[in-house]
Structures are given as C-alpha cells and as structure tokens.
Amino acid sequence: MTTDEHTLLNHYNITNLYPVAWPAEKDESDASEDDQPKSKPQTKRLAHQRSNSRYSVLARSTSDRRSLVPGSEKTGDGVENLVQKDEPDPLGGPDSVVRILRHRGLPVEEDQRLRNRFLLSSTTFSPTLYLSQVHCNASIESLLQGLDFLSRSIDQKSASLKVLVESNFERFVRAKSTIDNVYAEMRNQGAESSLPQRPRTHSRSRITSKGSAHFRNTSGQGPFSPRGLDKPLLSDQKKHALSKESEYGVQGIKGPLSEVAVKAEEIWGPALGGREREESLRTAMASIERNKGVLEVDAAIVSCIRHRNYHNLVAEYKRARQYAEDARTIVSGASGDRRPLTDSDLYQIVITGRMWSSVEVQIDDFKRDIWRRLTNVENPSPSSATRNMSDDHMALISVLLELGVQDNPIWFWLLSRYDHLKNKIIASFERSRVEIEILRRRIANADPPSTATHAAHLKASGNPASRDKQQPVDGPSIIEFWNLVYGSMNNLLATPGGLLGEIIEFWEKAQDFIDGSIQATLPVGPDGQSRKHHRLSTDGAKELQEGVVELIEILRGNIFSFFADPPVEDVSMLYSPLPPTTPSTPKSAIFAPYAHQDSRFRFDASHPPPPSPKTGEAWEDFAFWPPYANTLSGVQYLEKLLNLVGTAATELARLPSVSSSSGIQRGLKSLVAGTRERCSKALVAAWTRDVEKFHLVENWERAGERHDRTKMPGYFLALENTVLSGLQKIIYIPDVASKANATDIVTAPPAELLKDVRRHFERTLYTTLSDMVRYAEMVSPPNNLPQTGSTILSPPLKLAGAVSGAPERREIRLLLTMSNMQLFRTDIIPQLIAQFETNFSHKLTEETKMIKTALGQIEEKLFKSYAGPFARDLASMIHTGITSSTWVPTTDRPTELRPYVYEALLLLVNIHTEVTTTTPPLLHPIISYLFEQIILAFLSAFRARSERYTLAALMQATLDVEFVASILSQYTTARASELQSQVYQELDQRTDNSARMRLQNELPEMRAILKKLRDGTRGEFICFKKQRTAR
C-alpha cells in the first residue's frame, strides 16, 4: 500500500478504497459533546448548508471538534480515542500493520480489541504479541536496525514537543485557566439561578490591561455599581449571553449597527453620488487598469537586474520598448489626423514617458556593470558545478547584444581575456620562480643531511619494507621543494586547470567566433542592431592568432628560462609593496601576487634570505634542483616534470596557429630538448655524487638467507635500476612520445647526451667497486657510518671458539667484500649492462670487457690483501723452524713432528674457522692458496740450509712435508703437487747415495709413524677432512 492510499483511508475513515456499501456509522450524528441536541429548524438549516459533494460526509470539517489524529475512530458508545485503524510498522518495516496481520489470517478488522494489541497508539499494545506475529521471521540484525529506527523516531517526535512544553509551561497553565474562566463567565451570563453565586475565578483572571475593565464590570453591572447589590436584570444579561437564543451575544448590537448604517447613508450618500466625480474616477481606474503593464515594467526590470535574471530582463525590456513605441504611435496618429488627444491617451503617454526614462537609466547602469564584469570574467571550470551561469561570458555577451550596444562585446571580451592571460602568465611564473628560489636558499643555508640520513634515503629503493611503508626517498624540506616545483609547473602547464588549458580554451573560443559557429546562437538585438557585431573582421582574426602565438611564446620562454637559466638573484618581488598610486581595479586583485602570501615566503624586507653559498656543487647551477637532494627523489620528480613539459608542448603543437608557424614549432622542440638536457645533467651529477658516498650504505648487515654477503650489493642494484629506468623516461619521454603527432616535438636524444649518460654509468661502476675495496682495506672503519647494532656473525653461524666477526676487523670486511665482488661479477654487473643496452639501445661491448678485467684485478687484489699476510706468517714459521739448529733430529729414526708444523696448521685452523663462519664459498680457494704457499715455504727453507741432509734429516723433512700434505689433501692443486715434487728433488740433491738407499728401506716404517701421527691429531685437524655427503 502506497503512502497516498494510506492517507486516503485515514482521511475518509474507511477501510477499503473501493467500498461496496455506504458505511452505517456515517449516518449517525457527529455532534460535539458540548452541544445540546439540535432542534428541527437547526437540522434543516444545517442540511441546507451542507456541501453538494457526495464525499462531504466522509470528509472532516475544519470547524468540528473531532480528533485531529489521522485514522482515529470511535468506540461503540460514541467516545473518540487516539487509536488508529492502521499504522505503519514502528520498526521501519511495511507501511500497514493490519495488512500484514490480515495476510497471516488474524481477524483484526472484526475484532477491535485484538487489533488494538498490535497498534502502538493503543494502551493495550503488546510488544511480545506484536513481535511474534508481525516480525516472526525477522533476523537479529533486522530487529536491531528496527530498534535504531524506533529510537530515532521517538527522539525526533519527543524532542521538539518536550522543548516547547518546558519553555512555555507557565504560559500553557495561564492560558488554560484564563480560557476556562472567560468561557464559564460568558456561558453562565444570563442563566437563571435560584441563588446568586460568586463566580469562580482564577487568581490571574482578574488582571486586566491598564485603561480597560473586565467585560463583566461595564454598563453599571459590576459589584460596586449602584445596581451591583441588586439582582441583575435577566433580559439584559440574556441579551449578551453566549447562547443560541441571543445568537451568541450578537443580538444586542444588531439594532445599533442598523441605525449606524442608515445614518451613514444619509450623510455620505450625496457626497459619493456625484456622477461627474464618479465618471472621472472610473476613467482613471480604467486607465490604470489598461496601463497596468506600463506601471509594472519598471519594477520588474529592477527585480531582474537585482536577481541577475537575464532572460526575464530582456523580455521586460522588449515589453518596455513596445510600450514606448505604442505611445509614439498614438502621438504620430493624433498629429497626422490633426485631432486632440483624449484624457486616456494623455495619461498613457505621460506614464509611458516616465517609465521609459526610468528604464533607460536602469539599463544604462546595468550595461556598465555588464561591461565591467565582462572584463574580469573567466571561463567556467568543468569541476565547478556550483558556478553561477549568469557569470559566464556567453551569457553576458548575449544580454549585451540583446539590449543593443555600440561596441562589440565579443571583441571586447576576447581582448580582455588576452590581457588577462598575458598578465596572469607573467605574474604567476615570476612569483613561482621567486618562491622556489627562496625555498632553495633556505635548504642551501641549512645543515646538510647527516651521513646516516643520506645512507637511509639511498637504501629506500632497495628496501621492501620501506616501499611498503612508502618511506620518503629524501628529506622533508627537499620533498617540499620538489612538490613546490611540480605544483608551480602544473599550474602553468596542466591542460585541465592550468594556464595552458586556459590558453587552449581561449583559442578554441576565439576560433569559434572567427568561424562564426557561435554567432548563430547569439541574439541580433532590437531591430537587428547587434547583427553587425556577429562577424569579426579579417584583421581582427589575424590579430587574435598573433595574440595566441604571443601567449604561447611567453609561456614557452618562461618555462625554458626556468630550466635553462641559473637561479635568480633578485627575490625582492615578494616584499616589494604595491605603489600607493595603484588604482583599485578588478584586475589588481587577480594579478597582485603579494595579496595572499604563503607563510613560508613571508619575511622581513630588511632581512631577506641570504644567497646560497658557493661551494662548487653541481646543483648550484640549477634553479629546479634542491640542494643536497639525492638521485632517487630527482628521478621521481624529474620524470613527472618532463612528462608535464612534453605533454604541454604536444598539446600546443596541435593548435592550428602553432602548426602553421615553423618558428613556434622549433621553439617547442627546443623547449623539450633543452629541458631534457638540463634535467639529465642535473640527475647524472647527483648520481655521481650519490655513488661516491654509496659506501656509507655498507653497514655489514647480512643479506637475508645469503649470510656470506651483505645487503650493499642489493641496494646498489636497486639504485642503479631506478636511475637507469628514470633516465630512460627522462631522455626518451616514452609516455609523451607514444602519442599521435608527438614525434615532431619529442625528438630522439642527441648522441652527446647518450655518451654522457654512458660515461657516468661506467663511472658509477668503477667508483663503487674501488670504494668497496678502499673501505674494506681500512685498518678501522669510520665512526660516522650507520650501524645496525648486530654482529657480523649471524647467530646460526656463531661457533664456539670462532674468531670474533665484528665489522671493525679488517679480515672480516675483506672476506665479505670478496663475496660481494663475486656477486657483482656474476650477476649485478651483467644485469646492469643488459639493462643499459636495452634502455638506451647502445651496446657496451668494449666497456664490458674493460669492466670484467677491472673486476678480476680487484678480486685478485682483495684476495691477496686477505691471504697475503697469512701466507707471510706461515712462511716465516716454516723458515724459522727448518733453519733452526734444533731442527735436525738427534736420533737415527725420528718419530715426532717439529713444533712449527703444529703452529702452521693451527693458524690454518683459525683461518678455516674465520672463513667458514663468514663466507663459506671462499674457503677452498683460500686454503688451497695457503697450502701452495706452505709448500713453497718448505722449498725455500730447505734451500736455505747450507749443509747436506743426513738420513735423519731426510726422514724429518719427509715427515713434516707428508704430514702437512696428508692433512690438507682435499685442498691439493696441481701447482701444490708440482711444488711438493720440487721439495723432494731439492732434498734428493742435498744428500748422498747411501742415505738415499737407506731412506727407501725406512719408508714402510715412516708410513706407520705418519699414520700414528695423523691418528693422534685427528681431533685437532678434523676441520680439514672432507665431509661425506649424504646419499
């Protein structure tokens, strides 16, 4: 059931919109409870006054005293109550509770008591029964929503009533008491009573206004009148009583009113009955009625001007002109016919002249206001949905053409718009450039970022956690600078919402006016007077084209100077006050860049920001590059700036006035090329500066699962990938170059620019690799490097008795650097070279060979830096032990090794532990190299002895060499085997034939001794044993 159907049922107090029989209760009397039964004459009179509508019995009269509650009903004894026949669901559900119960089969229409238990307005309402029947299938969520709906309904209905009752409670009480007393006194006046009774009055009912008395105390009827103690006259009281017999108090004044009417007719009848005056008045009234439109048109025009209702204003102005033409026609006709004007014609001519004079004044003032607003009007923004269309330039031009003007409003608006855009471009750019320079100076004069901060920002691109948290890639002040630069360029070059978009839109409007496509919708004015303004002259069209080209050239030149020129020196624009003689024109509010200054750029004129210091940094030559900015923030924002400049240039190149001008085309090409070159130079300079400081990133923290490497190579790879990708987008501007007709503006980068990028790319690789070596070979690392607080040995690799892995140890740094170098050689360098060749379409064949050669040299240097000191220590131990006077055994058959052998092997054990716990992949090459150096030391030491070797010395030398060779057997190389053969040859040459023969006989015994020695030191040198792999 709809709301309208429910309202009809309640209004006519019926249960069905299509009843088949007349309701029986409508035949019963509907008298109020305060009235007595009406007599038959009254009944007939009421019947005569009854409406002829067949629905009048159903409708409720506004004068009866029945309940005002829609849908209320009477009980069987005729007493009304507030219970309605039907109600909407109080929980916000259906709009008919009775309909739901009827669908469930409950006899709610026949049983009123049962229905009342489901109606909220009834005192017998049962919530439990209501929910069990009406909402038997409701969910908990819908019941909770219904509870919220019921709470809001109660609050809304009771809040206003509560406030009204609380604030006016005393007034309600006083009003109720006064009404009751007045009604009782008026009703009881004149009533017959056996004994006079003092009327009950409220304490406040005696209070009357000053200068007036209670109506019961007038005409000598009060208790203090001469007749007050006597019994009042019953006839006088009944005459004013509020009863049917006295016609409710009107009977007493009927006679005096009739007499007054008779006297008035006798006195004023002759005065009003003059026929001549009557005729004159009738003529005047007829003239006023006939010329009512003339009298109203002036006020209507004033109202339209006030409300800016241009459509109705034009209509009213046309009506006023028609009235003026009619008056002129009357005068011309009377003059031509040589007849006098009638009084009606004279009156019409007079009021029309006055009207037309006032209308001309109003219209002239209105035109001046329209000209002024047309000077300052701007194109409506598509995003401004609430913009008043009466402020649109087309509406203003239309109304001026409609009213008729001497000057051309179209040409006037075009010239005003051109001046506005020209001044706005210059003022906006100059202010933006000065603001950028002030912020640049403040950053330059502030302290540079610390090494830890700089390293943290450089790691942002290679840290997944930082990318997830959107960690800034540079300092807050530098990001603020970049946002200011991008915002300023966006305000100038954005197509929607920027000055470039306004220029393009201005040209499109101008082109439409030149072609005449818009003029078809413009009015021609009164009598076609404005038709001459519809067509622009050839010189005017040419002048417009030149003006648009000039605007484009101004914008292009400003943008190019911002990127190509060094920072400005003069920043006085922000604190130079306006001249006191500057006129207060509407444009002054638009072009005054000092009116609403940002607090960041507000400073004392006597203390301007000092110029940035000259320290020889590359960023000092770039106005768009913030001091101390890193490469990551530069790549991020320069890419946006180049896309903005390239898009703006291509949009401008599509304009017909630009495409036909080769000079402007070349200017746009130079804008894109020059901006690209300057941005690339600034970026590669910062790239080199960051790479020179990239060793600050190295904090010797292990790289995830690869504990033999640090995170530094990953950070470097991420930085190089970001820079190379950003440089490719800056140099080629692919997002703009892919658009149609963009190849004429976005040209291929010059070879010199690509060569410069390639040179800086190679330099970053060499610089990084050399800094890694230099930093690793330091005796102690700098104290200002960022540390993570974790030790270099990861917990799973810390072994009992292992050498400490603190990053201060040079040997640990060398091992990690060698491991990182292997990663550079096998993965990072090839990947970066392939990315460079792909991004810039340039092969690095020779450069790749040179880089690989340099990497090999660097790795060899690192290896010798680490293993060289140990090799020298081992050689010193062996040489000292063999050349010692106690080395030759005192017995004929030696059975023990010399101490230097154990010392050398224990040193190898320490080296083995250090390498294993730091960089396990480097263990085999390091131990193999040291094994070769040990054999070489043996050879050198045996050659250093001057005497010949006896049998005992030969046996001792064999035991020492064979024991070391057997312990380090898995690290044997071809060169170690060759050196070992040279050792035996040297011993064989330094002995006699008899000793050589006896040594052959002692070999079995020596093998047994050697086996015994190996078994005795199995635990000490088990680390050198080859581990068995599980099958």
Side-chain angles (χ1 to χ4, degrees):
M1 183 182 294
T2 63
T3 305
D4 295 338
E5 294 176 353
H6 186 69
T7 304
L8 289 173
L9 292 177
N10 289 337
H11 180 73
Y12 292 110
N13 200 13
I14 57 178
T15 60
N16 187 6
L17 290 177
Y18 307 98
V20 296
W22 181 263
E25 62 269 19
K26 302 303 177 182
D27 295 331
E28 300 177 359
S29 176
D30 201 21
S32 64
E33 60 181 1
D34 291 335
D35 294 337
Q36 299 295 332
K38 294 181 175 62
S39 60
K40 292 182 179 180
Q42 291 172 327
T43 305
K44 292 180 180 180
R45 185 165 60 253
L46 292 175
H48 179 71
Q49 297 174 354
R50 184 177 300 155
S51 174
N52 293 328
S53 174
R54 60 175 180 172
Y55 298 106
S56 60
V57 174
L58 300 177
R60 187 179 295 109
S61 176
T62 59
S63 62
D64 60 15
R65 301 184 62 185
R66 289 178 293 170
S67 174
L68 297 177
V69 179
S72 61
E73 61 180 0
K74 286 185 177 181
T75 59
D77 54 359
V79 179
E80 286 186 343
N81 55 40
L82 297 179
V83 181
Q84 304 181 29
K85 287 187 176 181
D86 196 1
E87 293 178 350
D89 187 4
L91 299 182
D95 56 351
S96 176
V97 175
V98 174
R99 178 163 51 87
I100 297 176
L101 297 175
R102 188 167 57 248
H103 289 169
R104 297 191 183 280
L106 296 178
V108 292
E109 296 182 349
E110 295 79 13
D111 191 347
Q112 180 179 349
R113 292 186 178 181
L114 177 62
R115 183 174 74 241
N116 289 346
R117 300 191 68 186
F118 294 94
L119 300 180
L120 186 62
S121 59
S122 173
T123 57
T124 61
F125 175 72
S126 175
T128 305
L129 185 61
Y130 177 86
L131 293 176
S132 64
Q133 295 296 331
V134 179
H135 292 277
C136 59
N137 297 324
S139 62
I140 295 178
E141 181 179 2
S142 62
L143 291 177
L144 291 176
Q145 294 176 355
L147 179 59
D148 294 338
F149 179 85
L150 181 60
S151 301
R152 291 193 302 270
S153 301
I154 293 173
D155 292 341
Q156 293 174 358
K157 293 179 180 179
S158 62
S160 58
L161 182 60
K162 181 178 179 182
V163 172
L164 177 64
V165 173
E166 290 179 352
S167 60
N168 299 279
F169 182 74
E170 293 185 0
R171 294 183 180 179
F172 291 155
V173 173
R174 290 197 301 268
K176 180 64 170 61
S177 301
T178 303
I179 292 171
D180 291 345
N181 291 337
V182 172
Y183 181 71
E185 292 176 2
M186 293 177 66
R187 183 174 181 178
N188 295 333
Q189 186 175 5
E192 297 181 358
S193 58
S194 57
L195 294 176
Q197 296 179 355
R198 184 179 180 179
R200 293 181 300 156
T201 61
H202 193 271
S203 59
R204 299 180 181 269
S205 65
R206 297 289 182 180
I207 301 176
T208 59
S209 63
K210 185 178 180 180
S212 64
H214 198 277
F215 70 92
R216 295 187 302 123
N217 296 335
T218 60
S219 304
Q221 299 300 323
F224 299 101
S225 65
R227 299 173 56 187
L229 298 177
D230 299 335
K231 184 177 180 180
L233 296 176
L234 185 60
S235 60
D236 294 338
Q237 292 180 349
K238 286 186 176 182
K239 183 171 62 176
H240 301 289
L242 193 66
S243 62
K244 298 178 181 66
E245 292 79 7
S246 63
E247 297 185 9
Y248 295 97
V250 182
Q251 186 177 8
I253 63 173
K254 275 189 174 181
L257 288 176
S258 300
E259 294 177 358
V260 170
V262 173
K263 291 293 183 182
E265 182 66 26
E266 292 176 357
I267 296 173
W268 296 102
L272 299 176
R275 301 183 63 84
E276 182 178 355
R277 183 172 180 82
E278 179 181 0
E279 186 67 26
S280 177
L281 292 175
R282 286 182 178 178
T283 302
M285 291 299 296
S287 298
I288 292 175
E289 187 66 26
R290 186 171 57 254
N291 298 304
K292 183 178 179 181
V294 179
L295 299 175
E296 293 176 348
V297 67
D298 188 17
I301 288 178
V302 173
S303 177
C304 292
I305 292 175
R306 182 183 300 111
H307 295 92
R308 296 187 179 182
N309 190 345
Y310 299 155
H311 179 73
N312 291 343
L313 173 64
V314 173
E316 294 295 335
Y317 180 68
K318 289 181 178 179
R319 190 155 65 103
R321 288 180 60 88
Q322 185 61 42
Y323 288 143
E325 290 295 330
D326 294 343
R328 293 190 186 96
T329 302
I330 293 173
V331 174
S332 299
S335 177
D337 297 342
R338 297 180 179 274
R339 58 179 174 84
L341 295 172
T342 62
D343 294 341
S344 176
D345 292 339
L346 288 174
Y347 185 80
Q348 180 178 354
I349 292 171
V350 170
I351 62 174
T352 303
R354 292 181 178 178
M355 177 272 298
W356 183 246
S357 178
S358 176
V359 167
E360 283 186 329
V361 173
Q362 296 292 337
I363 292 298
D364 289 341
D365 294 341
F366 174 71
K367 287 180 180 179
R368 284 192 293 270
D369 180 67
I370 293 297
W371 285 114
R372 178 184 58 81
R373 288 164 53 195
L374 189 60
T375 304
N376 301 325
V377 72
E378 297 188 20
N379 290 338
S381 175
S383 61
S384 179
T386 61
R387 183 179 179 88
N388 190 355
M389 292 306 298
S390 63
D391 292 334
D392 188 9
H393 67 282
M394 292 302 299
L396 299 179
I397 293 174
S398 297
V399 72
L400 286 176
L401 293 176
E402 191 72 37
L403 297 177
V405 289
Q406 294 297 326
D407 297 330
N408 190 343
I410 298 175
W411 183 250
F412 181 83
W413 177 79
L414 290 173
L415 292 181
S416 300
R417 186 66 180 159
Y418 163 77
D419 292 336
H420 172 83
L421 290 175
K422 181 178 180 181
N423 295 330
K424 190 175 181 181
I425 291 171
I426 297 174
S428 299
F429 173 75
E430 292 299 331
R431 175 173 177 80
S432 298
R433 182 161 64 173
V434 172
E435 288 180 351
I436 292 170
E437 174 58 20
I438 288 175
L439 197 57
R440 195 189 73 88
R441 291 186 182 186
R442 289 179 177 172
I443 298 175
N445 287 284
D447 295 333
S450 62
T451 55
T453 303
H454 192 76
H457 290 154
L458 291 179
K459 293 192 295 185
S461 61
N463 193 345
S466 300
R467 290 195 299 267
D468 296 340
K469 298 178 181 179
Q470 296 183 350
Q471 179 179 344
V473 295
D474 219 322
S477 59
I478 295 175
I479 297 298
E480 180 185 9
F481 181 91
W482 281 122
N483 288 329
L484 178 62
V485 172
Y486 180 75
S488 300
M489 293 298 105
N490 189 67
N491 291 335
L492 292 173
L493 300 177
T495 303
L499 283 175
L500 175 62
E502 294 186 26
I503 293 175
I504 295 176
E505 188 173 1
F506 169 68
W507 169 247
E508 292 174 352
K509 290 288 185 182
Q511 188 65 42
D512 291 339
F513 281 120
I514 293 173
D515 299 339
S517 58
I518 297 183
Q519 286 85 331
T521 61
L522 294 177
V524 296
D527 301 331
Q529 297 177 5
S530 299
R531 195 183 302 275
K532 60 183 179 180
H533 300 317
H534 284 195
R535 180 64 60 182
L536 298 179
S537 63
T538 305
D539 294 337
K542 183 178 180 182
E543 187 176 350
L544 276 177
Q545 292 179 352
E546 293 175 353
V548 172
V549 171
E550 183 182 359
L551 292 177
I552 295 174
E553 182 60 26
I554 292 174
L555 182 62
R556 186 206 67 81
N558 287 334
I559 299 300
F560 183 79
S561 66
F562 174 73
F563 284 99
D565 297 343
V568 296
E569 298 294 337
D570 184 14
V571 294
S572 60
M573 175 185 178
L574 290 184
Y575 56 81
S576 296
L578 286 174
T581 59
T582 300
S584 179
T585 62
K587 290 185 179 181
S588 63
I590 299 175
F591 301 129
Y594 336 98
H596 305 286
Q597 287 192 10
D598 194 334
S599 59
R600 296 175 298 175
F601 313 110
R602 190 177 299 132
F603 51 85
D604 188 4
S606 59
H607 298 86
S612 58
K614 299 296 183 179
T615 58
E617 294 286 348
W619 46 261
E620 295 175 2
D621 296 332
F622 303 101
F624 59 89
W625 188 275
Y628 311 117
N630 61 39
T631 315
L632 297 177
S633 63
V635 165
Q636 179 179 343
Y637 284 92
L638 289 181
E639 178 185 345
K640 296 180 181 178
L641 290 174
L642 261 297
N643 284 333
L644 194 62
V645 173
T647 302
T650 54
E651 291 294 333
L652 290 175
R654 294 192 182 100
L655 297 179
S657 58
V658 176
S659 59
S660 59
S661 175
S662 58
I664 296 297
Q665 289 278 355
R666 288 193 300 270
L668 294 176
K669 288 182 181 180
S670 64
L671 170 64
V672 176
T675 303
R676 173 176 61 187
E677 183 177 356
R678 291 284 291 177
C679 291
S680 300
K681 287 184 178 180
L683 185 60
V684 296
W687 188 17
T688 303
R689 177 175 172 269
D690 288 343
V691 169
E692 290 174 353
K693 296 183 178 181
F694 198 78
H695 63 275
L696 302 175
V697 175
E698 182 62 271
N699 57 4
W700 310 108
E701 183 180 359
R702 297 298 179 91
E705 298 179 356
R706 293 300 304 266
H707 297 285
D708 59 322
R709 299 166 183 169
T710 64
K711 292 184 177 180
M712 184 266 188
Y715 292 142
F716 179 76
L717 177 62
L719 175 66
E720 293 290 289
N721 285 334
T722 304
V723 175
L724 290 177
S725 299
L727 273 173
Q728 191 266 344
K729 294 179 181 179
I730 291 173
I731 292 177
Y732 291 97
I733 321 178
D735 294 340
V736 180
S738 59
K739 297 180 180 179
N741 301 327
T743 55
D744 297 334
I745 302 300
V746 182
T747 58
E752 187 63 28
L753 179 60
L754 294 177
K755 183 178 179 180
D756 187 54
V757 172
R758 185 193 63 190
R759 184 171 59 253
H760 280 83
F761 171 66
E762 297 174 6
R763 182 178 177 182
T764 58
L765 296 180
Y766 288 122
T767 302
T768 302
L769 296 176
S770 60
D771 286 345
M772 290 173 61
V773 176
R774 178 175 55 85
Y775 182 50
E777 290 182 343
M778 289 182 180
V779 178
S780 60
N783 296 327
N784 57 352
L785 293 181
Q787 300 293 337
T788 60
S790 61
T791 58
I792 200 66
L793 291 178
S794 301
L797 298 178
K798 289 183 179 179
L799 303 176
V803 179
S804 174
E808 287 78 8
R809 293 194 67 240
R810 177 176 177 273
E811 292 78 8
I812 299 297
R813 297 199 303 271
L814 289 172
L815 287 174
L816 292 174
T817 305
M818 284 191 290
S819 180
N820 291 339
M821 282 295 175
Q822 289 185 353
L823 180 62
F824 269 89
R825 176 172 49 82
T826 59
D827 187 16
I828 294 179
I829 298 298
Q831 181 177 343
L832 292 178
I833 291 176
Q835 182 180 358
F836 183 91
E837 293 176 347
T838 302
N839 290 350
F840 301 100
S841 302
H842 183 78
K843 290 294 183 180
L844 300 178
T845 306
E846 297 297 329
E847 291 80 358
T848 302
K849 295 179 180 179
M850 296 174 60
I851 292 173
K852 289 183 178 180
T853 303
L855 270 174
Q857 296 174 356
I858 290 174
E859 285 186 301
E860 182 180 358
K861 181 179 179 181
L862 285 172
F863 189 87
K864 291 183 178 180
S865 296
Y866 176 80
F870 295 118
R872 288 191 293 271
D873 293 341
L874 291 172
S876 177
M877 292 179 186
I878 295 174
H879 185 272
T880 302
I882 293 177
T883 59
S884 174
S885 57
T886 60
W887 176 76
V888 178
T890 56
T891 61
D892 295 338
R893 182 178 294 172
T895 58
E896 296 293 337
L897 299 174
R898 291 307 181 195
Y900 75 91
V901 176
Y902 293 106
E903 292 177 3
L905 290 177
L906 287 177
L907 178 58
L908 286 180
V909 169
N910 290 334
I911 296 172
H912 185 282
T913 303
E914 184 177 73
V915 176
T916 303
T917 55
T918 306
T919 53
L922 298 178
L923 178 63
H924 193 277
I926 290 176
I927 300 299
S928 298
Y929 171 77
L930 293 178
F931 179 41
E932 293 176 358
Q933 297 302 312
I934 289 174
I935 301 300
L936 188 61
F938 274 122
L939 179 60
S940 177
F942 289 143
R943 288 176 178 176
R945 292 185 63 87
S946 57
E947 64 274 9
R948 298 181 66 83
Y949 292 99
T950 62
L951 178 60
L954 286 176
M955 295 177 65
Q956 186 66 51
T958 304
L959 286 176
D960 293 347
V961 173
E962 286 295 329
F963 182 80
V964 172
S966 62
I967 293 297
L968 302 177
S969 59
Q970 67 166 330
Y971 301 102
T972 301
T973 62
R975 186 166 183 271
S977 300
E978 182 182 354
L979 291 174
Q980 189 175 356
S981 300
Q982 293 180 9
V983 169
Y984 292 138
Q985 291 177 4
E986 180 66 24
L987 293 175
D988 187 68
Q989 293 176 1
R990 300 286 295 277
T991 186
D992 53 10
N993 192 28
S994 60
R996 190 179 300 113
M997 296 298 296
R998 286 183 294 170
L999 179 62
Q1000 293 296 326
N1001 297 329
E1002 295 292 337
L1003 287 178
E1005 186 65 24
M1006 290 179 63
R1007 292 191 183 95
I1009 296 173
L1010 189 62
K1011 183 176 181 306
K1012 180 180 178 181
L1013 292 174
R1014 284 200 306 267
D1015 294 340
T1017 57
R1018 182 176 300 173
E1020 287 79 355
F1021 306 122
I1022 194 174
C1023 62
F1024 299 115
K1025 186 177 181 181
K1026 186 176 181 180
Q1027 301 294 331
R1028 294 182 180 179
T1029 57
R1031 294 183 180 179

